[in-house]
Amino acid sequence: MPTLILVRHGRSTANTGGVLAGWTPGVALDERGRAQAAALPARLAELPLAAAVTSPLQRCRETLAPLLAARPELPLHTDERIGECRYGDWSGRKLAELADEPLWELVQRHPSSAVFPGGESVRAMQARAVDAVREWNERIARLHGEDAVYLMCTHGDLIKSIVADALGLHLDQFQRITADPCSVTAVRYTRLRPYLLRLGDTGDLAGLAPRGDAPADGAQDAAVGGGAGAP
């Protein structure tokens, strides 16, 4: 199955304002976020991306704009299933205020039981995100081959929930995972299980390029001792 490159959008005006954006319209990248997005094409230059899939929200589209300008041939698809968590009545509120809500502790300690007022549950968010990943894995493999690499630009909680699923973690553990703005997380999917290759990486990504010397037999086995890494 393909390798999925998960990119969190660059830093947004909501991030710097300490606001829970959710699906609030008009949330754009701030100056630093635009710089992070501008650096993304060089970071991904060694990766033969088959396609890009994006959340419909503005901050994700702005993050991908420099990459699409550098690679005009790269197909772009929009999928609402990888849009931000629907925080409902919490959307647009200051995080400092939300920290005083009784639900806040539940979201931190027992998120699998948390439902945002007027919004969705954390479980529903993870389910739709993972469903999207699995369907896109099948589609990309069918169209571009089992060794294809593709990208999804999405949001922090979505990435954390996808990583938790890939690692076989209960959703209640997903708050132990971090994904900074414009960080890259990479998951290689195989027939038997996924492998987490990068988590919240903000540096060079050339080591994620497909390697032609991978053995056909045992290729889905974990490297005992940790493996030699990129050449």
Side-chain angles (χ1 to χ4, degrees):
M1 298 294 286
T3 297
L4 171 60
I5 307 297
L6 289 161
V7 177
R8 185 184 172 195
H9 61 78
R11 196 175 75 175
S12 73
T13 53
N15 295 144
T16 49
V19 171
L20 187 64
W23 284 72
T24 305
V27 176
L29 299 184
D30 68 4
E31 183 177 356
R32 181 175 178 182
R34 292 191 295 273
Q36 291 170 332
L40 193 59
R43 293 174 62 205
L44 298 171
E46 299 296 321
L47 303 187
L49 297 175
V53 186
T54 185
S55 156
L57 296 175
Q58 178 180 340
R59 51 198 182 273
C60 287
R61 290 186 170 277
E62 289 182 353
T63 299
L64 287 187
L67 177 65
L68 296 172
R71 300 196 195 190
E73 77 289 351
L74 183 64
L76 177 66
H77 308 274
T78 300
D79 194 327
E80 287 203 358
R81 294 175 298 176
I82 61 168
E84 181 63 283
C85 184
R86 295 188 181 275
Y87 297 114
D89 298 343
W90 278 27
S91 298
R93 293 182 59 188
K94 290 280 189 178
L95 292 170
E97 297 174 2
L98 294 172
D100 294 329
E101 297 276 354
L103 180 61
W104 181 270
E105 185 176 14
L106 199 65
V107 171
Q108 296 297 317
R109 298 179 181 273
H110 190 23
S112 65
S113 68
V115 181
F116 294 101
E120 68 181 336
S121 68
V122 179
R123 286 186 297 108
M125 176 201 72
Q126 183 188 46
R128 63 175 165 85
V130 171
D131 283 348
V133 167
R134 290 174 179 167
E135 289 181 21
W136 277 104
N137 282 348
E138 293 176 2
R139 179 175 178 179
I140 295 295
R142 183 175 67 253
L143 295 176
H144 302 282
E146 297 287 336
D147 294 328
V149 181
Y150 75 107
L151 178 149
M152 279 186 173
C153 187
T154 182
H155 307 267
D157 280 349
L158 276 288
I159 292 172
K160 291 160 57 176
S161 71
I162 291 168
V163 169
D165 173 78
L167 292 176
L169 296 178
H170 193 281
L171 183 57
D172 285 344
Q173 309 301 323
F174 101 123
Q175 296 289 30
R176 302 184 181 195
I177 300 166
T178 61
D180 288 338
C182 224
S183 63
V184 169
T185 294
V187 183
R188 178 168 295 140
Y189 288 86
T190 74
R191 184 177 63 86
L192 298 180
R193 59 189 169 211
Y195 290 88
L196 181 64
L197 306 180
R198 295 287 191 282
L199 178 61
D201 197 319
T202 56
D204 178 75
L205 301 166
L208 294 175
R211 296 171 57 185
D213 59 346
D217 295 331
Q220 296 177 27
D221 291 342
V224 178

